Amino acid sequence: MQKVIEVNGLARSYKIKKGTKKALDDVSFEVYKGEVFGLLGPNGAGKTTTIKILTTLLLPTGGNAKVLGYDVVTESRKIRDKINFVYGGERGVYGRLTAREYLHYFCTLYKIKNKEQTQLISELLELVELKDNEGQKIHTYSKGMTQRLHIARCLINEPQILFLDEPTIGLDPLGARLLRDLVKKLSSNGITIILTTHYMQEADELCDRIAFIKNGKLSMIGNPEEIKDSCNHLKLYEATMNLSDTESLKRDSFFTNVEIEAIKEPFYTVNFEVDESITEKISDHLGRYGMVLKLRKKDISLEDAYVHHMKDVG
Ligand SMILES: Nc1ncnc2c1ncn2[C@@H]1O[C@H](COP(=O)(O)OP(=O)(O)OP(=O)(O)O)[C@@H](O)[C@H]1O
């Protein structure tokens, strides 16, 4: 497998009032050609900092990184010609232009020959499913349409790697679905994609491999199944109950990470973790707080694994 990104001991510190803040601390990973690679972590973990360094917008303060074999510090120009990036919730579009006019403008900036522009723009609009709206002014676009237009713009230079920082942020479910489908399409066209997202289901659906970042350090890396398997020891349960005393159940130390959600009072879904693995014992214990209608051990989701790994992040 061809390595397209190699990150070695990468570090980035920021000067702040009370000294320095390590946004990235000794981070190392590799990305292979054609992968959808997810960077996941809580706010402030260092995801955007990593992407900014790899897209040559920010210099590292330690370690090194190569993108397509080029060093991010000394060969940034060569990298920029071959990659592109979209930040979630990006504005920066020219509302009074139509999508076609907007893409023409960027084609000119990218020095695409005039006679090739019309055909290229038609193909891009088709790909991002905006062909029917190409004559519409951008300020009338939904957020999802605008985001897909940004992606069309980023494809003008035929990037080998596309960096997408929270691409579905603020999109409604349908808009997010169209965008995820577009990511899959780009990936099947051979583009390597580096993605950050806070939506675990999205990461599970799209990513070939995932890295968890926590406090500027890489804490785990693997494919979604490996990451979920690493949490197979967790005993997570879901109960459906006719619950008379939610507060006492929450305080009971037999259960940890209790989450109670009302279905329709007095019926609740209760999610929790236990040390016990004998279902009858768990059921008996739950029975102190109401009638157990259903109890099942949950399959570990990527979100469960994420919550478990990030538990001690302040
Ligand atoms: N210009 C800056 N000056 C000082 N600190 C900064 C600067 N940019 C980022 N940081 C800090 O670096 C850390 C990492 O930030 P970064 O934006 O990379 O996190 P993130 O994982 O992308 O978070 P989010 O999910 O909120 O986008 C944070 O603690 C942030 O406050």
Side-chain angles (χ1 to χ4, degrees):
M1 278 194 288
Q2 188 188 333
K3 286 178 201 166
V4 290
I5 294 180
E6 293 169 77
V7 174
N8 274 308
L10 200 65
R12 169 74 208 196
S13 298
Y14 290 105
K15 284 207 169 63
I16 51 170
K17 273 186 191 160
K18 294 180 205 149
T20 51
K21 157 91 199 165
K22 280 185 183 173
L24 281 185
D25 186 8
D26 197 16
V27 167
S28 302
F29 64 91
E30 290 164 352
V31 180
Y32 301 100
K33 187 173 165 43
E35 277 193 308
V36 179
F37 186 84
L39 282 172
L40 308 186
N43 293 128
K47 304 177 297 293
T48 304
T49 303
T50 307
I51 288 198
K52 281 188 176 164
I53 292 173
L54 295 176
T55 52
T56 77
L57 297 176
L58 185 73
L59 290 171
T61 48
N64 60 72
K66 283 186 174 178
V67 175
L68 296 164
Y70 300 116
D71 186 90
V72 291
V73 178
T74 57
E75 297 172 296
S76 57
R77 185 75 250 168
K78 286 180 183 153
I79 295 173
R80 280 182 209 171
D81 289 343
K82 295 177 174 61
I83 62 156
N84 222 323
F85 50 87
V86 179
Y87 288 94
E90 242 185 70
R91 291 170 181 270
V93 290
Y94 303 77
R96 289 208 202 130
L97 299 182
T98 65
R100 184 169 277 280
E101 288 165 346
Y102 174 76
L103 293 176
H104 264 300
Y105 172 68
F106 276 91
C107 277
T108 307
L109 290 184
Y110 280 111
K111 299 193 167 54
I112 305 290
K113 288 184 191 137
N114 270 342
K115 59 178 183 200
E116 289 170 12
Q117 291 192 7
T118 306
Q119 169 75 13
L120 173 63
I121 291 168
S122 294
E123 284 169 12
L124 291 176
L125 288 167
E126 193 78 55
L127 182 72
V128 302
E129 296 188 36
L130 288 174
K131 193 77 179 66
D132 293 343
N133 311 87
E134 65 168 70
Q136 207 175 312
K137 294 221 188 316
I138 297 167
H139 71 82
T140 65
Y141 271 27
S142 69
K143 277 188 188 158
M145 291 161 81
T146 309
Q147 191 65 330
R148 297 205 302 283
L149 180 61
H150 285 306
I151 292 186
R153 180 199 75 213
C154 287
L155 296 172
I156 293 174
N157 68 329
E158 297 185 35
Q160 293 178 40
I161 307 178
L162 195 56
F163 293 83
L164 301 175
D165 199 1
E166 299 190 44
T168 56
I169 195 162
L171 303 193
D172 62 41
L174 197 61
R177 154 98 9 238
L178 279 171
L179 205 115
R180 286 198 294 273
D181 289 344
L182 177 57
V183 170
K184 288 180 198 166
K185 231 190 288 180
L186 299 176
S187 169
S188 67
N189 288 350
I191 301 180
T192 305
I193 293 173
I194 315 297
L195 173 90
T196 77
T197 179
H198 287 293
Y199 308 120
M200 296 302 126
Q201 261 181 309
E202 175 168 294
D204 199 3
E205 180 182 336
L206 293 178
C207 295
D208 296 304
R209 283 192 310 136
I210 285 167
F212 282 168
I213 302 194
K214 162 168 147 176
N215 293 332
K217 283 186 175 290
L218 210 77
S219 67
M220 171 127 215
I221 191 160
N223 68 43
E225 291 314 311
E226 287 166 345
I227 290 180
K228 285 182 248 178
D229 283 352
S230 75
C231 288
N232 261 343
H233 60 283
L234 297 179
K235 292 173 191 122
L236 304 182
Y237 283 83
E238 182 184 272
T240 308
M241 295 185 67
N242 179 335
L243 199 55
S244 46
D245 188 354
T246 53
E247 287 313 306
S248 302
L249 191 153
K250 275 187 202 163
R251 282 196 299 270
D252 189 329
S253 60
F254 183 82
F255 307 104
T256 45
N257 298 325
V258 179
E259 280 175 23
I260 301 177
E261 202 178 317
I263 303 169
K264 186 170 190 281
E265 277 192 49
F267 298 105
Y268 293 85
T269 302
V270 186
N271 282 284
F272 55 91
E273 196 177 333
V274 275
D275 285 331
E276 181 58 63
S277 50
I278 301 170
T279 311
E280 286 74 27
K281 281 194 186 166
I282 301 168
S283 189
D284 281 352
H285 209 101
L286 277 174
R288 297 177 186 179
Y289 306 101
M291 192 196 294
V292 182
L293 304 171
K294 207 162 110 187
L295 176 65
R296 68 174 184 97
K297 189 165 188 286
K298 277 176 65 185
D299 292 333
I300 304 288
S301 66
L302 189 65
E303 181 168 291
D304 294 327
Y306 177 87
V307 170
H308 180 70
H309 278 280
M310 300 297 168
K311 233 178 350 203
D312 52 338
V313 178

